[in-house]
Coordinates of all heavy atoms in Angstrom, one line a residue:
Chain A
D32 N -92.8 9.9 -45.3 CA -91.6 9.5 -44.8 C -90.5 10.5 -45.1 O -89.4 10.3 -44.7 CB -91.2 8.1 -45.0 CG -91.9 7.1 -44.2 OD1 -92.3 7.5 -43.0 OD2 -92.0 5.8 -44.7
D93 N -58.7 7.7 -18.9 CA -59.2 7.6 -17.5 C -58.0 7.8 -16.5 O -57.0 7.2 -16.7 CB -59.9 6.3 -17.3 CG -60.7 6.2 -16.0 OD1 -60.2 7.0 -15.1 OD2 -61.7 5.5 -16.1
Y112 N -37.2 9.5 -6.8 CA -37.1 9.4 -5.4 C -36.7 7.9 -5.0 O -36.0 7.8 -4.0 CB -38.4 9.8 -4.7 CG -38.5 11.3 -4.6 CD1 -39.7 11.9 -4.9 CD2 -37.6 12.0 -4.0 CE1 -39.8 13.3 -4.8 CE2 -37.6 13.4 -3.7 CZ -38.7 13.9 -4.1 OH -38.8 15.4 -3.9
G378 N -23.1 6.4 -2.9 CA -24.4 6.8 -2.2 C -24.8 8.3 -2.5 O -25.6 8.7 -1.7
R384 N -32.4 13.5 -6.0 CA -33.4 14.2 -5.2 C -33.8 15.6 -5.7 O -34.9 16.1 -5.8 CB -32.9 14.3 -3.7 CG -33.5 13.1 -2.9 CD -33.1 13.4 -1.4 NE -31.8 13.2 -1.4 CZ -30.8 13.9 -0.6 NH1 -31.3 14.9 0.2 NH2 -29.6 13.7 -0.5
I409 N -45.5 19.5 -12.9 CA -46.5 18.5 -12.7 C -47.9 19.2 -12.7 O -48.9 18.7 -13.3 CB -46.3 17.9 -11.2 CG1 -45.3 16.8 -11.4 CG2 -47.6 17.2 -10.7 CD1 -44.8 16.0 -10.2
S413 N -51.1 18.6 -15.1 CA -52.7 18.3 -14.7 C -53.5 19.5 -15.0 O -54.7 19.3 -15.4 CB -52.7 18.0 -13.2 OG -51.9 18.8 -12.4
R423 N -64.0 19.6 -23.4 CA -64.7 18.5 -23.9 C -66.0 18.3 -23.1 O -67.1 18.1 -23.8 CB -63.9 17.2 -23.6 CG -64.6 15.9 -24.2 CD -63.6 14.8 -24.2 NE -63.5 14.2 -22.9 CZ -64.0 13.0 -22.5 NH1 -64.9 12.4 -23.4 NH2 -63.8 12.4 -21.4
S424 N -66.0 18.3 -21.8 CA -67.2 18.2 -21.0 C -68.3 19.2 -21.4 O -69.4 19.0 -21.6 CB -66.8 18.4 -19.5 OG -67.9 18.5 -18.7
G446 N -94.3 19.0 -37.2 CA -95.8 19.1 -36.8 C -96.6 20.1 -37.5 O -97.7 19.9 -37.8
I450 N -96.9 15.8 -42.8 CA -98.1 15.0 -43.3 C -98.4 14.0 -42.2 O -97.7 13.2 -41.7 CB -97.7 14.2 -44.4 CG1 -97.2 15.3 -45.4 CG2 -98.8 13.4 -45.1 CD1 -96.2 14.8 -46.5
N451 N -99.8 14.0 -42.0 CA -100.3 13.0 -41.0 C -101.1 12.0 -41.8 O -102.1 12.3 -42.5 CB -101.2 13.7 -39.9 CG -101.7 12.7 -39.0 OD1 -102.4 11.8 -39.3 ND2 -101.3 12.9 -37.6
L452 N -100.7 10.6 -41.7 CA -101.2 9.7 -42.5 C -102.8 9.7 -42.3 O -103.7 9.4 -43.2 CB -100.7 8.4 -42.2 CG -100.8 7.2 -43.3 CD1 -100.5 7.7 -44.7 CD2 -100.1 6.0 -42.8
E454 N -105.0 11.8 -41.2 CA -105.6 13.0 -41.8 C -105.8 12.7 -43.3 O -106.8 13.0 -43.9 CB -104.9 14.3 -41.5 CG -105.7 15.5 -41.8 CD -104.9 16.8 -41.6 OE1 -104.9 17.1 -40.4 OE2 -104.2 17.4 -42.4
Chain B
T5 N -101.9 19.2 -36.4 CA -101.8 18.0 -36.8 C -100.4 17.5 -36.5 O -99.6 18.4 -36.9 CB -102.1 17.5 -38.2 OG1 -101.3 18.2 -39.0 CG2 -103.5 18.0 -38.4
I6 N -100.0 16.5 -35.9 CA -98.6 16.2 -35.7 C -98.3 15.2 -36.9 O -99.1 14.3 -37.3 CB -98.4 15.5 -34.5 CG1 -97.0 15.1 -34.4 CG2 -99.3 14.3 -34.2 CD1 -96.1 16.1 -33.8
S8 N -96.9 12.3 -39.0 CA -96.7 10.9 -38.6 C -95.2 10.6 -38.3 O -94.9 9.8 -37.6 CB -97.1 9.9 -40.0 OG -98.5 10.2 -40.1
R12 N -93.2 9.3 -35.0 CA -92.2 8.1 -34.9 C -90.8 8.6 -34.4 O -90.3 7.8 -33.6 CB -92.2 7.5 -36.3 CG -93.3 6.5 -36.6 CD -92.8 5.3 -37.5 NE -92.1 5.8 -38.6 CZ -92.7 6.2 -39.8 NH1 -94.0 6.2 -39.9 NH2 -92.0 6.7 -40.7
R37 N -67.6 3.9 -10.6 CA -67.0 5.2 -10.9 C -67.8 5.7 -12.2 O -68.6 5.1 -12.8 CB -65.5 5.1 -11.5 CG -64.8 4.6 -10.4 CD -63.4 4.0 -10.8 NE -62.5 5.3 -11.1 CZ -62.0 5.5 -12.4 NH1 -62.3 4.7 -13.3 NH2 -61.3 6.5 -12.6
D40 N -67.6 8.1 -17.9 CA -66.5 8.8 -18.5 C -66.2 9.8 -17.4 O -66.8 10.9 -17.5 CB -67.1 9.5 -19.8 CG -66.0 10.2 -20.5 OD1 -65.0 10.6 -19.9 OD2 -66.3 10.5 -21.8
K43 N -65.3 13.3 -18.8 CA -66.4 14.3 -19.2 C -67.2 14.6 -17.9 O -67.7 15.8 -17.8 CB -67.4 13.4 -20.1 CG -68.3 14.3 -21.0 CD -68.9 13.4 -22.1 CE -70.3 13.2 -21.7 NZ -70.9 12.5 -22.6
D54 N -53.8 16.0 -9.8 CA -52.9 16.5 -8.6 C -53.0 15.5 -7.5 O -52.0 15.2 -7.1 CB -53.4 17.9 -8.4 CG -52.8 18.9 -9.2 OD1 -51.8 18.6 -9.7 OD2 -53.3 20.1 -9.2
N57 N -51.3 12.4 -8.3 CA -49.9 12.7 -8.1 C -49.5 12.7 -6.8 O -48.4 11.9 -6.4 CB -49.6 14.1 -8.8 CG -48.3 14.6 -8.4 OD1 -47.2 13.8 -8.5 ND2 -48.1 15.8 -8.2
G60 N -49.6 9.3 -5.4 CA -48.5 8.4 -6.0 C -47.1 8.7 -5.4 O -46.4 7.8 -5.0
L138 N -21.3 8.0 2.1 CA -21.9 8.1 0.8 C -21.3 7.0 -0.1 O -21.8 6.7 -1.1 CB -21.6 9.5 0.2 CG -22.5 10.6 0.6 CD1 -22.1 11.9 -0.2 CD2 -23.9 10.3 0.5
D216 N -32.0 11.2 3.1 CA -33.2 10.7 2.3 C -34.5 11.6 2.7 O -34.6 12.0 3.8 CB -33.6 9.2 2.6 CG -32.8 8.3 1.7 OD1 -32.9 8.4 0.5 OD2 -31.9 7.6 2.3
R217 N -35.3 11.7 1.7 CA -36.5 12.4 2.0 C -37.5 11.3 2.6 O -37.9 10.2 1.9 CB -37.1 12.8 0.6 CG -37.8 14.0 0.6 CD -38.3 14.5 -0.8 NE -39.1 13.3 -1.4 CZ -40.3 13.5 -1.8 NH1 -40.8 14.6 -1.7 NH2 -41.0 12.4 -2.2
E223 N -36.2 15.7 5.4 CA -35.1 14.8 5.1 C -34.3 14.5 6.4 O -34.1 15.2 7.2 CB -34.0 15.6 4.1 CG -34.7 15.7 2.6 CD -33.7 16.3 1.7 OE1 -32.5 16.5 2.1 OE2 -34.1 16.5 0.5

Side-chain angles (χ1 to χ4, degrees):
Chain A
D32 280 335
D93 193 326
Y112 274 131
R384 263 181 293 138
I409 286 181
S413 41
R423 176 166 84 99
S424 164
I450 300 152
N451 184 298
L452 195 57
E454 191 178 275
Chain B
T5 62
I6 179 81
S8 306
R12 278 211 309 276
R37 299 168 73 244
D40 184 342
K43 202 172 103 180
D54 270 341
N57 165 37
L138 284 185
D216 276 296
R217 212 176 60 119
E223 283 187 6

